[in-house]
Amino acid sequence: MSEAVGRSLDDAIARVDDFFDGVFAPLEEWLPPLRTRVSGWIDDESFTGAQLAALVEEDVTRMLDNAERPLYGAGYCASDAVVTEGNPLAWWQGPERSLLASSTFGPGQAAIDLVRLEWYRVPAATGERHVAGPFVDYLCSNEITITSALPVEVDGRFCGVICADVIVASLERVLLPRVAELVDATLVNLGGRVVVSTDPGYETGDRYLGADPESGIDALVAAGSAPDGVRIARSARYPFALIGSGAGAN
């Protein structure tokens, strides 16, 4: 594969980094004032999900209205240190800015174990921001989605996550014009799942050929190139890599 193709892959993965920098920017701006407010809510044994939604709706609506990236939804999913009753998910989505149905996270049989959800579980475990997906968001949009999440911590206590959703179709519109300049280029997450691709053999959600079910593409990245000579450009800041498998640039 030519050096020109390698540079094109590097340029394209830099665009991916820039895109997600823009997704995280409004979350990072919101986090400090939210953390201050949350410090007054924790350990209130009567704090409800409805109260949470009322107190953060204006912040989330403003973020969605002003975001420079095509955000489909955003919100705050609180831990039980904050919300002791009702739906802990204060999350709005879609053109109508609809609040998610509380029944999804309600008590009893409708309750959902938040730790099963990657966008909640990983920031809770690591204390670091995380990008989850692509996955079909059966809880919210029913679309193939990527969720970017920041942990909310107060005095060392995990108080939930704030998140922004991007529909993969929106990501395609931003990235494919650049990726399409390459032959058979495929953006994958580090688990080896395809995000977008110009290779007709792949669709979003497919596992990239050769990606190990356990280690994803780590082995390919460590080798610097796959056995068949394809080149890999890995994001420096996000869990994505761009794989070029064609004979040359268009």
PDB file of all heavy atoms in Angstrom, residues 36 109 129 148 176 227 233 241 249-250:
ATOM      1  N   THR A  36     -21.177  20.837  40.515  1.00  0.00           N
ATOM      2  CA  THR A  36     -21.465  21.709  41.661  1.00  0.00           C
ATOM      3  C   THR A  36     -22.907  21.532  42.133  1.00  0.00           C
ATOM      4  O   THR A  36     -23.180  21.448  43.337  1.00  0.00           O
ATOM      5  CB  THR A  36     -21.217  23.174  41.272  1.00  0.00           C
ATOM      6  OG1 THR A  36     -19.844  23.330  40.901  1.00  0.00           O
ATOM      7  CG2 THR A  36     -21.552  24.105  42.426  1.00  0.00           C
ATOM      8  N   GLN A 109     -40.502  -5.107  37.182  1.00  0.00           N
ATOM      9  CA  GLN A 109     -40.022  -5.850  36.029  1.00  0.00           C
ATOM     10  C   GLN A 109     -39.483  -4.942  34.934  1.00  0.00           C
ATOM     11  O   GLN A 109     -38.749  -5.400  34.068  1.00  0.00           O
ATOM     12  CB  GLN A 109     -41.156  -6.719  35.482  1.00  0.00           C
ATOM     13  CG  GLN A 109     -41.578  -7.835  36.437  1.00  0.00           C
ATOM     14  CD  GLN A 109     -42.633  -8.728  35.816  1.00  0.00           C
ATOM     15  OE1 GLN A 109     -43.196  -8.397  34.782  1.00  0.00           O
ATOM     16  NE2 GLN A 109     -42.895  -9.860  36.459  1.00  0.00           N
ATOM     17  N   ARG A 129     -13.762   9.084  30.443  1.00  0.00           N
ATOM     18  CA  ARG A 129     -14.770   9.188  29.389  1.00  0.00           C
ATOM     19  C   ARG A 129     -14.714   7.947  28.506  1.00  0.00           C
ATOM     20  O   ARG A 129     -13.681   7.272  28.415  1.00  0.00           O
ATOM     21  CB  ARG A 129     -14.567  10.452  28.569  1.00  0.00           C
ATOM     22  CG  ARG A 129     -13.298  10.489  27.751  1.00  0.00           C
ATOM     23  CD  ARG A 129     -13.211  11.824  27.034  1.00  0.00           C
ATOM     24  NE  ARG A 129     -12.065  11.899  26.146  1.00  0.00           N
ATOM     25  CZ  ARG A 129     -11.785  12.962  25.395  1.00  0.00           C
ATOM     26  NH1 ARG A 129     -12.563  14.024  25.444  1.00  0.00           N
ATOM     27  NH2 ARG A 129     -10.736  12.968  24.615  1.00  0.00           N
ATOM     28  N   SER A 148     -21.403   8.795  23.557  1.00  0.00           N
ATOM     29  CA  SER A 148     -20.192   9.312  24.203  1.00  0.00           C
ATOM     30  C   SER A 148     -20.557   9.728  25.617  1.00  0.00           C
ATOM     31  O   SER A 148     -21.537  10.449  25.823  1.00  0.00           O
ATOM     32  CB  SER A 148     -19.647  10.518  23.421  1.00  0.00           C
ATOM     33  OG  SER A 148     -19.344  10.137  22.085  1.00  0.00           O
ATOM     34  N   LEU A 176     -18.055   9.948   5.489  1.00  0.00           N
ATOM     35  CA  LEU A 176     -17.893   9.195   4.243  1.00  0.00           C
ATOM     36  C   LEU A 176     -17.307  10.003   3.089  1.00  0.00           C
ATOM     37  O   LEU A 176     -16.553   9.438   2.286  1.00  0.00           O
ATOM     38  CB  LEU A 176     -19.230   8.573   3.834  1.00  0.00           C
ATOM     39  CG  LEU A 176     -19.547   7.241   4.526  1.00  0.00           C
ATOM     40  CD1 LEU A 176     -20.853   6.664   3.995  1.00  0.00           C
ATOM     41  CD2 LEU A 176     -18.422   6.225   4.339  1.00  0.00           C
ATOM     42  N   PRO A 227      -2.071  -9.326   8.118  1.00  0.00           N
ATOM     43  CA  PRO A 227      -1.252 -10.251   7.323  1.00  0.00           C
ATOM     44  C   PRO A 227      -1.368 -10.044   5.822  1.00  0.00           C
ATOM     45  O   PRO A 227      -0.413 -10.288   5.102  1.00  0.00           O
ATOM     46  CB  PRO A 227      -1.806 -11.616   7.744  1.00  0.00           C
ATOM     47  CG  PRO A 227      -2.325 -11.398   9.129  1.00  0.00           C
ATOM     48  CD  PRO A 227      -2.882 -10.016   9.120  1.00  0.00           C
ATOM     49  N   ALA A 233      -4.763   2.794  10.730  1.00  0.00           N
ATOM     50  CA  ALA A 233      -4.495   4.062  11.412  1.00  0.00           C
ATOM     51  C   ALA A 233      -5.413   4.118  12.624  1.00  0.00           C
ATOM     52  O   ALA A 233      -6.634   4.110  12.485  1.00  0.00           O
ATOM     53  CB  ALA A 233      -4.768   5.240  10.476  1.00  0.00           C
ATOM     54  N   ALA A 241     -10.363   2.771  14.842  1.00  0.00           N
ATOM     55  CA  ALA A 241      -9.241   2.640  13.915  1.00  0.00           C
ATOM     56  C   ALA A 241      -9.813   2.601  12.500  1.00  0.00           C
ATOM     57  O   ALA A 241     -10.936   2.143  12.282  1.00  0.00           O
ATOM     58  CB  ALA A 241      -8.443   1.379  14.209  1.00  0.00           C
ATOM     59  N   ALA A 249      -5.250   4.746  -3.520  1.00  0.00           N
ATOM     60  CA  ALA A 249      -6.235   5.805  -3.365  1.00  0.00           C
ATOM     61  C   ALA A 249      -6.924   6.065  -4.684  1.00  0.00           C
ATOM     62  O   ALA A 249      -6.394   5.827  -5.758  1.00  0.00           O
ATOM     63  CB  ALA A 249      -5.558   7.080  -2.876  1.00  0.00           C
ATOM     64  N   ASN A 250      -8.162   6.579  -4.589  1.00  0.00           N
ATOM     65  CA  ASN A 250      -8.887   6.953  -5.792  1.00  0.00           C
ATOM     66  C   ASN A 250      -8.264   8.198  -6.420  1.00  0.00           C
ATOM     67  O   ASN A 250      -7.684   9.012  -5.743  1.00  0.00           O
ATOM     68  CB  ASN A 250     -10.336   7.259  -5.455  1.00  0.00           C
ATOM     69  CG  ASN A 250     -11.107   6.006  -5.117  1.00  0.00           C
ATOM     70  OD1 ASN A 250     -10.792   4.933  -5.630  1.00  0.00           O
ATOM     71  ND2 ASN A 250     -12.087   6.114  -4.249  1.00  0.00           N
TER      72      ASN A 250
END
